[in-house]
Amino acid sequence: MVVASAALALLAGCSAETQDEWRNLAMPDPATEQAQHIFELWRWSWVAAMATGVIVWGLILWVVVRYRRRHVDEIPVQTRYNLPLEIFYTVAPIVMVVVFFYHTINVQNAVLDDTEQDRTIEVVGQQWSWTFNHRLDGEDGPVVYTSGAGGNVPTLVLPVGETIQFNLHSPDVIHSFGIPAFLMKMDVIPGRVNHYEVTPDTEGTFVGKCYELCGTYHSRMLFNVEVVSAADYEQYLQDLEADGFVSEEPVLGGGQAYTQAGLDDESADESEGGAE
Ligand SMILES: [Cu+2]
């Protein structure tokens, strides 16, 4: 109760957004079907941890009160071994780990399910921005693309209600492609193509970022995400095509130079001997 009222007092001074996060136990509202699975795992893990905590705290309190010293010259019973108790505290954690493991595997299988997709987007993480290639015809065929660089933060437009597969490419170092509201990220590794799927179920604007320290301007490797209606998405693809951002092959980074200022900064850093 003390904790609950302290938390409430704290919440009174917080924004609605922060309150949402508290209600979700520090998770953003899940914005994809896959994220729901992760969110459920997160929530029930907290329930299990809290139940365990309450039992343990209760037992500690009970022992402290029940077996407190009542007289100055009293010596408590000196218990050394208790086989049933030792078996219990070995078996109970094993059972808990098995249950957590079982649910984690189930959620992992649900989140990494790649059997059906409506769309494919070739995502390129390059030092230090992103290129998004939207496939026009299924898994192969021409793409329209948008690319960020320097202070130009790219936007990833997605259609609501459709299952989109992200194929992740890197021309240089390891990055990690993630969107907090989707409760998902995955490493982008040169020389291999990782992939995952999302089915956004909420229209809106979100943010995404690189989750793997990838060099000087890692912190600027941001992107916006806009989940729009299917019609708006079609329009977006047509606009990109009309503007000439169309290619027979996905644009896989490399040659996507950082701004000149950025490159100058980098060479300056190197000439200073490199603190890292
Ligand atoms: Cu990166």
Side-chain angles (χ1 to χ4, degrees):
M1 277 316 286
V2 177
V3 174
S5 49
L8 277 178
L10 202 72
L11 285 180
C14 296
S15 68
E17 209 167 283
T18 321
Q19 285 192 26
D20 279 353
E21 290 202 353
W22 273 95
R23 194 192 63 225
N24 291 349
L25 301 163
M27 275 284 179
D29 276 332
T32 68
E33 287 174 15
Q34 291 80 2
Q36 284 293 345
H37 295 284
I38 297 169
F39 185 64
E40 290 299 310
L41 180 68
W42 174 250
R43 183 149 61 181
W44 286 106
S45 298
W46 271 100
V47 170
M50 191 55 93
T52 309
V54 166
I55 292 170
V56 171
W57 298 325
L59 285 173
I60 290 172
L61 263 181
W62 176 69
V63 168
V64 165
V65 175
R66 173 76 178 75
Y67 296 102
R68 69 186 186 280
R69 190 168 71 164
R70 290 182 173 79
H71 304 287
V72 181
D73 41 350
E74 177 189 331
I75 295 173
V77 182
Q78 301 296 298
T79 306
R80 245 161 254 177
Y81 303 100
N82 187 314
L83 194 59
L85 206 56
E86 282 164 25
I87 289 173
F88 171 75
Y89 71 57
T90 308
V91 171
I94 291 174
V95 170
M96 290 163 73
V97 167
V98 167
V99 171
F100 277 117
F101 189 77
Y102 169 79
H103 287 289
T104 303
I105 289 288
N106 276 352
V107 166
Q108 185 173 295
N109 288 341
V111 166
L112 297 181
D113 176 36
D114 60 358
T115 45
E116 270 171 53
Q117 61 279 128
D118 301 314
R119 307 259 180 193
T120 304
I121 297 179
E122 308 293 336
V123 173
V124 185
Q126 74 263 0
Q127 286 172 320
W128 287 278
S129 194
W130 302 91
T131 302
F132 304 117
N133 299 270
H134 300 255
R135 292 276 189 193
L136 294 177
D137 309 304
E139 279 188 67
D140 298 306
V143 297
V144 293
Y145 63 92
T146 180
S147 193
N152 166 24
V153 174
T155 299
L156 173 61
V157 180
L158 300 173
V160 73
E162 293 187 34
T163 301
I164 300 127
Q165 172 160 331
F166 297 126
N167 290 333
L168 310 178
H169 309 264
S170 169
D172 40 49
V173 301
I174 298 177
H175 303 274
S176 182
F177 175 73
I179 298 154
F182 292 3
L183 311 189
M184 183 67 183
K185 66 183 172 77
M186 190 178 277
D187 277 3
V188 185
I189 298 175
R192 65 171 282 159
V193 181
N194 284 342
H195 65 271
Y196 67 92
E197 297 189 358
V198 298
T199 313
D201 56 13
T202 314
E203 285 187 32
T205 305
F206 308 97
V207 292
K209 57 184 129 182
C210 179
Y211 279 87
E212 182 70 43
L213 183 57
C214 60
T216 312
Y217 294 104
H218 161 69
S219 63
R220 294 190 205 169
M221 208 168 151
L222 307 169
F223 58 99
N224 295 313
V225 181
E226 272 180 40
V227 178
V228 299
S229 68
D232 284 354
Y233 182 69
E234 280 305 330
Q235 186 61 49
Y236 169 75
L237 297 184
Q238 283 173 23
D239 288 350
L240 275 183
E241 196 169 2
D243 290 343
F245 293 103
V246 58
S247 167
E248 281 306 310
E249 294 289 320
V251 178
L252 296 181
Q256 302 282 341
Y258 199 67
T259 59
Q260 193 54 46
L263 291 170
D264 289 342
D265 283 356
E266 186 187 22
S267 49
D269 286 348
E270 274 167 11
S271 62
E272 279 162 18
E276 291 123 298

